Amino acid sequence: QVQLVESGGGLVQPGGSLRLSCAASGRFFSSNVMGWYRQAPGKQRELVASISRAGNTNYDDSVKGRFSISRDNAKNTVYLQMNSLKPEDTAVYYCNLVVPGTREYWGKGTLVTVSS
């Protein structure tokens, strides 16, 4: 019914940058929140950043000042600009769409590896 497709992951050196994209397709309510979560091996999945359709944003403290989330409502696409990347940012990054109080959807994930 709803599909989220991430792209933009890859290998980058510490201090480098990547931009992740996630395009949503299918049927879902226009009132929604899109965001990015990440999960490192053996660790719990955690929220990185989220953004409402109106543009309200939320960031985890670990990425404040380094990452920036944005969305293009016309394209049903959310982006995550990742700057000053650190090895601890290495994880599978998952796109998420939430219709508050109703449903949530997940992408399959894209791997980000930060290493020298």
Side-chain angles (χ1 to χ4, degrees), residues 84-108:
S84 301
L85 283 161
K86 304 175 181 179
E88 50 262 44
D89 294 319
T90 297
V92 176
Y93 284 70
Y94 296 92
C95 182
N96 169 257
L97 185 152
V98 175
V99 180
T102 306
R103 294 284 188 274
E104 66 176 342
Y105 307 93
W106 295 93
K108 294 181 179 179

PDB file of all heavy atoms in Angstrom, residues 84-108:
ATOM      1  N   SER A  84      29.850  16.697   8.467  1.00  0.00           N
ATOM      2  CA  SER A  84      30.788  16.425   9.563  1.00  0.00           C
ATOM      3  C   SER A  84      30.568  15.034  10.140  1.00  0.00           C
ATOM      4  O   SER A  84      30.477  14.841  11.359  1.00  0.00           O
ATOM      5  CB  SER A  84      30.647  17.487  10.661  1.00  0.00           C
ATOM      6  OG  SER A  84      30.886  18.783  10.153  1.00  0.00           O
ATOM      7  N   LEU A  85      30.498  14.064   9.269  1.00  0.00           N
ATOM      8  CA  LEU A  85      30.182  12.704   9.689  1.00  0.00           C
ATOM      9  C   LEU A  85      31.277  12.114  10.567  1.00  0.00           C
ATOM     10  O   LEU A  85      32.466  12.357  10.358  1.00  0.00           O
ATOM     11  CB  LEU A  85      29.945  11.824   8.470  1.00  0.00           C
ATOM     12  CG  LEU A  85      28.582  12.029   7.802  1.00  0.00           C
ATOM     13  CD1 LEU A  85      28.590  11.487   6.388  1.00  0.00           C
ATOM     14  CD2 LEU A  85      27.494  11.354   8.635  1.00  0.00           C
ATOM     15  N   LYS A  86      30.841  11.339  11.541  1.00  0.00           N
ATOM     16  CA  LYS A  86      31.718  10.686  12.491  1.00  0.00           C
ATOM     17  C   LYS A  86      31.574   9.174  12.372  1.00  0.00           C
ATOM     18  O   LYS A  86      30.532   8.682  11.930  1.00  0.00           O
ATOM     19  CB  LYS A  86      31.365  11.113  13.917  1.00  0.00           C
ATOM     20  CG  LYS A  86      31.390  12.607  14.161  1.00  0.00           C
ATOM     21  CD  LYS A  86      30.902  12.928  15.568  1.00  0.00           C
ATOM     22  CE  LYS A  86      30.905  14.419  15.831  1.00  0.00           C
ATOM     23  NZ  LYS A  86      30.416  14.725  17.195  1.00  0.00           N
ATOM     24  N   PRO A  87      32.598   8.424  12.781  1.00  0.00           N
ATOM     25  CA  PRO A  87      32.474   6.961  12.734  1.00  0.00           C
ATOM     26  C   PRO A  87      31.252   6.438  13.481  1.00  0.00           C
ATOM     27  O   PRO A  87      30.653   5.446  13.046  1.00  0.00           O
ATOM     28  CB  PRO A  87      33.776   6.478  13.387  1.00  0.00           C
ATOM     29  CG  PRO A  87      34.749   7.554  13.075  1.00  0.00           C
ATOM     30  CD  PRO A  87      33.957   8.840  13.163  1.00  0.00           C
ATOM     31  N   GLU A  88      30.866   7.090  14.556  1.00  0.00           N
ATOM     32  CA  GLU A  88      29.712   6.651  15.311  1.00  0.00           C
ATOM     33  C   GLU A  88      28.387   6.887  14.595  1.00  0.00           C
ATOM     34  O   GLU A  88      27.335   6.436  15.062  1.00  0.00           O
ATOM     35  CB  GLU A  88      29.675   7.306  16.705  1.00  0.00           C
ATOM     36  CG  GLU A  88      29.844   8.817  16.682  1.00  0.00           C
ATOM     37  CD  GLU A  88      31.273   9.243  16.965  1.00  0.00           C
ATOM     38  OE1 GLU A  88      32.199   8.631  16.400  1.00  0.00           O
ATOM     39  OE2 GLU A  88      31.473  10.186  17.754  1.00  0.00           O
ATOM     40  N   ASP A  89      28.419   7.588  13.471  1.00  0.00           N
ATOM     41  CA  ASP A  89      27.229   7.741  12.646  1.00  0.00           C
ATOM     42  C   ASP A  89      26.977   6.521  11.765  1.00  0.00           C
ATOM     43  O   ASP A  89      25.935   6.436  11.115  1.00  0.00           O
ATOM     44  CB  ASP A  89      27.340   8.981  11.755  1.00  0.00           C
ATOM     45  CG  ASP A  89      27.359  10.277  12.550  1.00  0.00           C
ATOM     46  OD1 ASP A  89      26.588  10.400  13.516  1.00  0.00           O
ATOM     47  OD2 ASP A  89      28.148  11.174  12.184  1.00  0.00           O
ATOM     48  N   THR A  90      27.928   5.612  11.722  1.00  0.00           N
ATOM     49  CA  THR A  90      27.788   4.411  10.909  1.00  0.00           C
ATOM     50  C   THR A  90      26.578   3.602  11.359  1.00  0.00           C
ATOM     51  O   THR A  90      26.461   3.238  12.528  1.00  0.00           O
ATOM     52  CB  THR A  90      29.049   3.547  10.993  1.00  0.00           C
ATOM     53  OG1 THR A  90      30.158   4.264  10.446  1.00  0.00           O
ATOM     54  CG2 THR A  90      28.877   2.246  10.222  1.00  0.00           C
ATOM     55  N   ALA A  91      25.684   3.330  10.427  1.00  0.00           N
ATOM     56  CA  ALA A  91      24.457   2.606  10.743  1.00  0.00           C
ATOM     57  C   ALA A  91      23.663   2.399   9.466  1.00  0.00           C
ATOM     58  O   ALA A  91      23.969   2.972   8.425  1.00  0.00           O
ATOM     59  CB  ALA A  91      23.607   3.383  11.758  1.00  0.00           C
ATOM     60  N   VAL A  92      22.641   1.582   9.569  1.00  0.00           N
ATOM     61  CA  VAL A  92      21.629   1.527   8.532  1.00  0.00           C
ATOM     62  C   VAL A  92      20.601   2.604   8.843  1.00  0.00           C
ATOM     63  O   VAL A  92      20.063   2.654   9.954  1.00  0.00           O
ATOM     64  CB  VAL A  92      20.949   0.148   8.455  1.00  0.00           C
ATOM     65  CG1 VAL A  92      19.832   0.161   7.418  1.00  0.00           C
ATOM     66  CG2 VAL A  92      21.973  -0.924   8.113  1.00  0.00           C
ATOM     67  N   TYR A  93      20.349   3.461   7.887  1.00  0.00           N
ATOM     68  CA  TYR A  93      19.411   4.555   8.061  1.00  0.00           C
ATOM     69  C   TYR A  93      18.082   4.191   7.404  1.00  0.00           C
ATOM     70  O   TYR A  93      18.039   3.812   6.234  1.00  0.00           O
ATOM     71  CB  TYR A  93      19.971   5.847   7.465  1.00  0.00           C
ATOM     72  CG  TYR A  93      21.033   6.473   8.330  1.00  0.00           C
ATOM     73  CD1 TYR A  93      22.281   5.872   8.465  1.00  0.00           C
ATOM     74  CD2 TYR A  93      20.787   7.654   9.033  1.00  0.00           C
ATOM     75  CE1 TYR A  93      23.255   6.424   9.282  1.00  0.00           C
ATOM     76  CE2 TYR A  93      21.760   8.212   9.846  1.00  0.00           C
ATOM     77  CZ  TYR A  93      22.988   7.596   9.964  1.00  0.00           C
ATOM     78  OH  TYR A  93      23.951   8.152  10.773  1.00  0.00           O
ATOM     79  N   TYR A  94      17.021   4.319   8.177  1.00  0.00           N
ATOM     80  CA  TYR A  94      15.688   3.945   7.733  1.00  0.00           C
ATOM     81  C   TYR A  94      14.784   5.164   7.604  1.00  0.00           C
ATOM     82  O   TYR A  94      14.714   5.985   8.515  1.00  0.00           O
ATOM     83  CB  TYR A  94      15.038   2.973   8.720  1.00  0.00           C
ATOM     84  CG  TYR A  94      15.732   1.646   8.836  1.00  0.00           C
ATOM     85  CD1 TYR A  94      16.721   1.442   9.787  1.00  0.00           C
ATOM     86  CD2 TYR A  94      15.386   0.596   7.998  1.00  0.00           C
ATOM     87  CE1 TYR A  94      17.359   0.222   9.904  1.00  0.00           C
ATOM     88  CE2 TYR A  94      16.014  -0.630   8.113  1.00  0.00           C
ATOM     89  CZ  TYR A  94      16.998  -0.814   9.065  1.00  0.00           C
ATOM     90  OH  TYR A  94      17.616  -2.039   9.178  1.00  0.00           O
ATOM     91  N   CYS A  95      14.092   5.236   6.503  1.00  0.00           N
ATOM     92  CA  CYS A  95      13.082   6.262   6.311  1.00  0.00           C
ATOM     93  C   CYS A  95      11.789   5.837   6.997  1.00  0.00           C
ATOM     94  O   CYS A  95      11.436   4.654   6.996  1.00  0.00           O
ATOM     95  CB  CYS A  95      12.845   6.480   4.822  1.00  0.00           C
ATOM     96  SG  CYS A  95      11.655   7.772   4.424  1.00  0.00           S
ATOM     97  N   ASN A  96      11.098   6.794   7.559  1.00  0.00           N
ATOM     98  CA  ASN A  96       9.886   6.530   8.311  1.00  0.00           C
ATOM     99  C   ASN A  96       8.814   7.552   7.970  1.00  0.00           C
ATOM    100  O   ASN A  96       9.106   8.742   7.835  1.00  0.00           O
ATOM    101  CB  ASN A  96      10.211   6.570   9.816  1.00  0.00           C
ATOM    102  CG  ASN A  96       8.984   6.561  10.701  1.00  0.00           C
ATOM    103  OD1 ASN A  96       8.593   7.595  11.245  1.00  0.00           O
ATOM    104  ND2 ASN A  96       8.397   5.392  10.881  1.00  0.00           N
ATOM    105  N   LEU A  97       7.589   7.091   7.826  1.00  0.00           N
ATOM    106  CA  LEU A  97       6.448   7.971   7.632  1.00  0.00           C
ATOM    107  C   LEU A  97       5.380   7.604   8.650  1.00  0.00           C
ATOM    108  O   LEU A  97       5.014   6.431   8.769  1.00  0.00           O
ATOM    109  CB  LEU A  97       5.892   7.862   6.210  1.00  0.00           C
ATOM    110  CG  LEU A  97       4.750   8.823   5.825  1.00  0.00           C
ATOM    111  CD1 LEU A  97       4.778   9.099   4.323  1.00  0.00           C
ATOM    112  CD2 LEU A  97       3.384   8.281   6.214  1.00  0.00           C
ATOM    113  N   VAL A  98       4.893   8.593   9.364  1.00  0.00           N
ATOM    114  CA  VAL A  98       3.886   8.382  10.397  1.00  0.00           C
ATOM    115  C   VAL A  98       2.676   9.250  10.142  1.00  0.00           C
ATOM    116  O   VAL A  98       2.802  10.455   9.938  1.00  0.00           O
ATOM    117  CB  VAL A  98       4.444   8.695  11.798  1.00  0.00           C
ATOM    118  CG1 VAL A  98       3.346   8.578  12.847  1.00  0.00           C
ATOM    119  CG2 VAL A  98       5.597   7.773  12.141  1.00  0.00           C
ATOM    120  N   VAL A  99       1.529   8.627  10.119  1.00  0.00           N
ATOM    121  CA  VAL A  99       0.269   9.355  10.199  1.00  0.00           C
ATOM    122  C   VAL A  99      -0.082   9.347  11.679  1.00  0.00           C
ATOM    123  O   VAL A  99      -0.422   8.290  12.218  1.00  0.00           O
ATOM    124  CB  VAL A  99      -0.836   8.699   9.364  1.00  0.00           C
ATOM    125  CG1 VAL A  99      -2.131   9.491   9.486  1.00  0.00           C
ATOM    126  CG2 VAL A  99      -0.413   8.593   7.909  1.00  0.00           C
ATOM    127  N   PRO A 100       0.034  10.482  12.352  1.00  0.00           N
ATOM    128  CA  PRO A 100      -0.089  10.503  13.812  1.00  0.00           C
ATOM    129  C   PRO A 100      -1.325   9.792  14.327  1.00  0.00           C
ATOM    130  O   PRO A 100      -2.443  10.066  13.896  1.00  0.00           O
ATOM    131  CB  PRO A 100      -0.129  12.000  14.133  1.00  0.00           C
ATOM    132  CG  PRO A 100       0.685  12.620  13.053  1.00  0.00           C
ATOM    133  CD  PRO A 100       0.344  11.821  11.820  1.00  0.00           C
ATOM    134  N   GLY A 101      -1.094   8.863  15.249  1.00  0.00           N
ATOM    135  CA  GLY A 101      -2.172   8.139  15.894  1.00  0.00           C
ATOM    136  C   GLY A 101      -2.824   7.076  15.038  1.00  0.00           C
ATOM    137  O   GLY A 101      -3.788   6.446  15.491  1.00  0.00           O
ATOM    138  N   THR A 102      -2.295   6.843  13.837  1.00  0.00           N
ATOM    139  CA  THR A 102      -2.957   5.922  12.918  1.00  0.00           C
ATOM    140  C   THR A 102      -2.047   4.819  12.383  1.00  0.00           C
ATOM    141  O   THR A 102      -2.266   3.635  12.650  1.00  0.00           O
ATOM    142  CB  THR A 102      -3.569   6.696  11.732  1.00  0.00           C
ATOM    143  OG1 THR A 102      -4.430   7.725  12.228  1.00  0.00           O
ATOM    144  CG2 THR A 102      -4.386   5.757  10.855  1.00  0.00           C
ATOM    145  N   ARG A 103      -1.034   5.201  11.628  1.00  0.00           N
ATOM    146  CA  ARG A 103      -0.181   4.221  10.976  1.00  0.00           C
ATOM    147  C   ARG A 103       1.258   4.732  10.878  1.00  0.00           C
ATOM    148  O   ARG A 103       1.505   5.939  10.919  1.00  0.00           O
ATOM    149  CB  ARG A 103      -0.684   3.932   9.562  1.00  0.00           C
ATOM    150  CG  ARG A 103      -2.033   3.239   9.497  1.00  0.00           C
ATOM    151  CD  ARG A 103      -1.914   1.775   9.832  1.00  0.00           C
ATOM    152  NE  ARG A 103      -3.162   1.069   9.580  1.00  0.00           N
ATOM    153  CZ  ARG A 103      -4.153   0.980  10.440  1.00  0.00           C
ATOM    154  NH1 ARG A 103      -4.053   1.568  11.644  1.00  0.00           N
ATOM    155  NH2 ARG A 103      -5.247   0.303  10.125  1.00  0.00           N
ATOM    156  N   GLU A 104       2.169   3.799  10.743  1.00  0.00           N
ATOM    157  CA  GLU A 104       3.544   4.138  10.432  1.00  0.00           C
ATOM    158  C   GLU A 104       4.099   3.160   9.403  1.00  0.00           C
ATOM    159  O   GLU A 104       3.713   1.991   9.362  1.00  0.00           O
ATOM    160  CB  GLU A 104       4.420   4.181  11.686  1.00  0.00           C
ATOM    161  CG  GLU A 104       4.619   2.854  12.367  1.00  0.00           C
ATOM    162  CD  GLU A 104       5.583   2.975  13.536  1.00  0.00           C
ATOM    163  OE1 GLU A 104       6.327   3.967  13.610  1.00  0.00           O
ATOM    164  OE2 GLU A 104       5.589   2.066  14.389  1.00  0.00           O
ATOM    165  N   TYR A 105       5.018   3.647   8.588  1.00  0.00           N
ATOM    166  CA  TYR A 105       5.607   2.864   7.514  1.00  0.00           C
ATOM    167  C   TYR A 105       7.114   3.027   7.524  1.00  0.00           C
ATOM    168  O   TYR A 105       7.645   4.059   7.953  1.00  0.00           O
ATOM    169  CB  TYR A 105       5.036   3.312   6.160  1.00  0.00           C
ATOM    170  CG  TYR A 105       3.532   3.303   6.099  1.00  0.00           C
ATOM    171  CD1 TYR A 105       2.804   4.452   6.384  1.00  0.00           C
ATOM    172  CD2 TYR A 105       2.832   2.143   5.774  1.00  0.00           C
ATOM    173  CE1 TYR A 105       1.418   4.447   6.343  1.00  0.00           C
ATOM    174  CE2 TYR A 105       1.448   2.134   5.730  1.00  0.00           C
ATOM    175  CZ  TYR A 105       0.747   3.285   6.015  1.00  0.00           C
ATOM    176  OH  TYR A 105      -0.633   3.277   5.974  1.00  0.00           O
ATOM    177  N   TRP A 106       7.791   1.998   7.037  1.00  0.00           N
ATOM    178  CA  TRP A 106       9.248   1.976   7.053  1.00  0.00           C
ATOM    179  C   TRP A 106       9.827   1.606   5.700  1.00  0.00           C
ATOM    180  O   TRP A 106       9.276   0.768   4.976  1.00  0.00           O
ATOM    181  CB  TRP A 106       9.760   0.960   8.079  1.00  0.00           C
ATOM    182  CG  TRP A 106       9.420   1.300   9.489  1.00  0.00           C
ATOM    183  CD1 TRP A 106       8.333   0.888  10.192  1.00  0.00           C
ATOM    184  CD2 TRP A 106      10.190   2.116  10.370  1.00  0.00           C
ATOM    185  NE1 TRP A 106       8.373   1.399  11.467  1.00  0.00           N
ATOM    186  CE2 TRP A 106       9.492   2.149  11.605  1.00  0.00           C
ATOM    187  CE3 TRP A 106      11.387   2.810  10.238  1.00  0.00           C
ATOM    188  CZ2 TRP A 106       9.973   2.864  12.704  1.00  0.00           C
ATOM    189  CZ3 TRP A 106      11.862   3.528  11.327  1.00  0.00           C
ATOM    190  CH2 TRP A 106      11.158   3.546  12.544  1.00  0.00           C
ATOM    191  N   GLY A 107      10.943   2.229   5.367  1.00  0.00           N
ATOM    192  CA  GLY A 107      11.716   1.803   4.225  1.00  0.00           C
ATOM    193  C   GLY A 107      12.596   0.625   4.591  1.00  0.00           C
ATOM    194  O   GLY A 107      12.657   0.198   5.746  1.00  0.00           O
ATOM    195  N   LYS A 108      13.307   0.097   3.611  1.00  0.00           N
ATOM    196  CA  LYS A 108      14.169  -1.057   3.836  1.00  0.00           C
ATOM    197  C   LYS A 108      15.536  -0.691   4.381  1.00  0.00           C
ATOM    198  O   LYS A 108      16.264  -1.561   4.852  1.00  0.00           O
ATOM    199  CB  LYS A 108      14.322  -1.854   2.544  1.00  0.00           C
ATOM    200  CG  LYS A 108      13.030  -2.497   2.077  1.00  0.00           C
ATOM    201  CD  LYS A 108      13.237  -3.291   0.802  1.00  0.00           C
ATOM    202  CE  LYS A 108      11.945  -3.952   0.357  1.00  0.00           C
ATOM    203  NZ  LYS A 108      12.124  -4.717  -0.896  1.00  0.00           N
TER     204      LYS A 108
END
